[in-house]
Amino acid sequence: MKPKTIIEPFKIKSVEPIRFTTREEREKFLKDAGYNAFLLHADDVLIDLLTDSGTSAMSAKQWAGIMDGDESYAGSKSFYRFESVVRNITGMKFIIPTHQGRAAEKILFTLVGGAGKYIPNNSHFDTTRANVEFSGAEAVDLLNEVGKHPEIRADFKGNMDIEKLEAFIKEKGVENIPLCMITVTNNSGGGQPVSMQNIRETKEVCKKYNIPLFLDACRFAENAYFIKLREKGYENKTPLEIAQEMFSYADGATMSAKKDALVNIGGFLALNDEQLAMNSRNLLIVTEGFPTYGGLAGRDLEAVAQGLLEIVDESYLQYRIRSVAYLGEKLVAAGVPIIEPPGGHAIYIDAKRFLPDIPAEQFPGQSIVAELYLEGGIRAVEIGSVMFGKYDKNGKFIPSMMELVRLAVPRRVYTQSHIDYLIEVIVEVYKNRNKLKGYKITYEAPMLRHFTARFEPIN
Ligand code: F0G
């Protein structure tokens, strides 16, 4: 028989209790946190969907690697294992470990960014955008039109708009575009995949103008599996082979190992350009550490190497993509508006359609995040005008393109009954959506304000 039920391809060896609280307690916790879920104590959260980053459950083999890590300052065997696994997947010549993704971004954009430069991407994630902008350069999103419409179902909504990219290069000038980036999967736009054809075509445009192409590869394995499921010609390839082809079109990559390397900390910068690699290593020594550990312990490098072997396992990816889709399908069946189809690592509630009467300047996504916590102890994150909203020169509010609430699913952490509980809570909040209120900001930092902002409900 070919079983219909897709099960978790692991059994549980070690458990971590979660804490139940009452609604009254949660009202106090949320108020104390300035209505910002980032400022809650994790202990006061029942199901934590704030992020899929650094929240994976490690395997027995990864924990064994932790014990086996070589903590030599220079030339650690754990580095060479890490290097060989990353090189096998990416095909890149120079592998530079960093403590997480943004550290790789910081080094890269310090070297290639600067005033007057532009970095095109399908969609920059917040830290990538911040690192580009911090260097003085401008981060530009050139997402394909269909990716901007939450209600349209399409296979590769993370694709780059190739025509816009070429027009953009002509407009700004090749000399002002040090590199072009593609984020797989497209986190800011719903965890949607990018097709192999689109990566190949982006590369062709880049090659024509001699611009290096970089992958922001945090979720490369999830992207590879979507290609296997949805793109003609890839049905019989392994996720590893597909990932290798994806990277073969790139000249470099940044990666947060906290996603698709199944670890709690780690990242890397992978490069083919020798001069850029040398300059990166020099900066790495100043900011992260010696090139064979780069801000990580030897044990972390072991865990990353092992995680990268496990992430391309097909039964893992099948379970992973299917369990996120299950959550999405149940929500759609109950009428909850989400970005369709479900993404790889998260479900994104479309707050504009969920709360059409709350305007962007009153942060409808924030309102849903608050209510999910109050109703069921669930922590989600707003990806909308709190995260991406801006003010123009006259202080006028410019909303984000989309108002989303992300329910990011940690890897190998929650079981199907956790997911069923989530569905119950979200559907209940949706039924009572008319009672939800808008929010106003009472404090905000000049950059990445969503992490520390404080709010008040508008009565
Ligand atoms: N790029 C993408 C696409 C990301 O999603 C993230 C992190 C980073 C870069 C930065 O990596 O956190 O290791 O420094 N995203 C997390 C998230 C934080 O919740 O989506 P990092």
Side-chain angles (χ1 to χ4, degrees):
M1 111 187 197
K2 197 168 181 295
K4 283 202 293 286
T5 308
I6 295 167
I7 60 170
E8 286 84 357
F10 49 80
K11 54 186 177 173
I12 297 166
K13 194 193 281 271
S14 178
V15 297
E16 187 182 354
I18 49 178
R19 193 166 86 86
F20 293 88
T21 53
T22 63
R23 183 166 178 122
E24 289 68 45
E25 286 171 325
R26 292 195 290 275
E27 275 167 4
K28 179 179 181 306
F29 297 146
L30 192 64
K31 192 163 179 234
D32 291 347
Y35 297 92
N36 184 345
F38 279 103
L39 302 179
L40 287 168
H41 290 216
D43 245 8
D44 301 331
V45 173
L46 186 66
I47 303 227
D48 202 346
L49 307 183
L50 185 69
T51 178
D52 63 320
S53 180
T55 51
S56 297
M58 291 211 293
S59 68
K61 278 199 175 159
Q62 284 179 294
W63 282 110
I66 293 275
M67 278 311 294
D68 204 30
D70 173 2
E71 302 304 340
S72 304
Y73 189 96
S76 148
K77 84 168 180 336
S78 302
F79 169 74
Y80 293 109
R81 177 161 185 240
F82 163 88
E83 184 187 45
S84 110
V85 173
V86 175
R87 196 175 274 153
N88 180 44
I89 296 171
T90 64
M92 302 279 166
K93 292 193 193 121
F94 306 101
I95 313 296
I96 299 170
T98 58
H99 80 272
Q100 61 184 84
R102 70 197 68 179
E105 293 163 4
K106 171 77 178 145
I107 290 171
L108 180 64
F109 293 117
T110 299
L111 292 171
V112 306
K117 299 276 199 290
Y118 299 87
I119 309 290
N121 198 329
N122 48 350
S123 305
H124 291 267
F125 192 61
D126 58 354
T127 59
T128 326
R129 173 174 292 281
N131 273 305
V132 169
E133 290 175 354
F134 191 73
S135 82
E138 205 173 301
V140 184
D141 293 345
L142 299 176
L143 185 64
N144 206 284
E145 188 56 35
V146 19
K148 299 177 192 165
H149 299 276
E151 69 291 352
I152 299 178
R153 286 188 74 93
D155 284 343
F156 292 104
K157 290 176 76 176
N159 280 358
M160 175 80 86
D161 189 323
I162 309 278
E163 279 171 27
K164 273 204 188 134
L165 174 65
E166 184 153 15
F168 184 80
I169 296 171
K170 284 185 184 152
E171 184 198 326
K172 300 297 179 189
V174 176
E175 65 285 4
N176 297 318
I177 306 178
L179 60 85
C180 169
M181 224 170 185
I182 296 183
T183 304
V184 291
T185 54
N186 179 26
N187 188 6
S188 307
Q192 299 292 320
V194 179
S195 70
M196 192 72 87
Q197 185 184 342
N198 189 254
I199 299 176
R200 204 183 298 123
E201 286 174 4
T202 304
K203 174 66 184 180
E204 278 162 21
V205 171
C206 287
K207 206 169 163 188
K208 183 167 159 194
Y209 296 94
N210 211 7
I211 294 171
L213 175 63
F214 273 62
L215 292 186
D216 176 342
C218 298
R219 301 177 180 85
F220 75 94
E222 289 169 5
N223 199 85
Y225 193 67
F226 277 121
I227 288 176
K228 182 177 172 84
L229 292 180
R230 296 179 183 174
E231 195 163 347
K232 223 173 149 279
Y234 291 92
E235 339 28 22
N236 298 319
K237 296 218 155 112
T238 65
L240 176 62
E241 287 167 340
I242 297 171
Q244 286 166 332
E245 184 180 336
M246 283 162 52
F247 282 106
S248 74
Y249 302 117
D251 303 281
T254 56
M255 163 112 184
S256 167
K258 299 171 75 171
K259 285 83 173 174
D260 271 358
L262 295 165
V263 291
N264 308 120
I265 196 75
F268 60 79
L269 176 60
L271 300 166
N272 274 336
D273 183 299
E274 189 167 6
Q275 188 59 47
L276 186 56
M278 260 170 60
N279 296 344
S280 299
R281 283 190 175 131
N282 290 338
L283 256 189
L284 185 85
I285 293 175
V286 181
T287 58
E288 291 278 293
F290 189 75
T292 61
Y293 71 85
L296 293 168
R299 54 179 171 269
D300 299 322
L301 295 167
E302 285 288 340
V304 172
Q306 181 59 34
L308 286 172
L309 299 179
E310 293 172 14
I311 200 79
V312 289
D313 174 58
E314 200 158 333
S315 57
Y316 163 77
L317 285 167
Q318 181 189 38
Y319 138 80
R320 169 71 176 164
I321 298 302
R322 184 58 213 143
S323 50
V324 174
Y326 172 84
L327 169 59
E329 284 163 15
K330 294 277 174 165
L331 294 179
V332 169
V336 180
I338 63 165
I339 292 193
E340 291 194 65
H345 67 296
I347 293 298
Y348 294 66
I349 295 175
D350 182 359
K352 267 189 201 170
R353 282 183 292 153
F354 195 113
L355 295 176
D357 297 333
I358 298 185
E361 57 269 28
Q362 293 183 15
F363 310 117
Q366 194 62 26
S367 175
I368 296 170
V369 169
E371 196 56 28
L372 290 176
Y373 179 68
L374 294 174
E375 183 69 31
I378 294 166
R379 176 154 70 166
V381 69
E382 194 259 17
I383 300 194
S385 288
V386 175
M387 193 178 273
F388 293 124
K390 283 189 178 167
Y391 303 100
D392 71 8
K393 288 186 198 88
N394 307 316
K396 193 172 163 276
F397 174 76
I398 309 165
S400 159
M401 189 170 69
M402 293 194 257
E403 301 295 336
L404 305 172
V405 172
R406 187 182 72 173
L407 308 161
V409 184
R411 295 173 181 75
R412 306 192 293 207
V413 170
Y414 294 116
T415 65
Q416 181 162 351
S417 35
H418 291 119
I419 300 288
D420 284 330
Y421 168 84
L422 272 174
I423 293 161
E424 203 182 315
V425 173
I426 298 165
V427 171
E428 186 62 24
V429 169
Y430 185 62
K431 278 188 195 148
N432 298 319
R433 62 192 179 279
N434 292 337
K435 295 189 195 134
L436 268 60
K437 298 196 170 81
Y439 279 76
K440 63 173 186 233
I441 294 184
T442 58
Y443 163 77
E444 62 182 298
M447 263 179 109
L448 297 173
R449 67 173 176 186
H450 51 286
F451 290 127
T452 53
R454 298 186 76 86
F455 301 85
E456 261 172 25
I458 298 169
N459 282 310

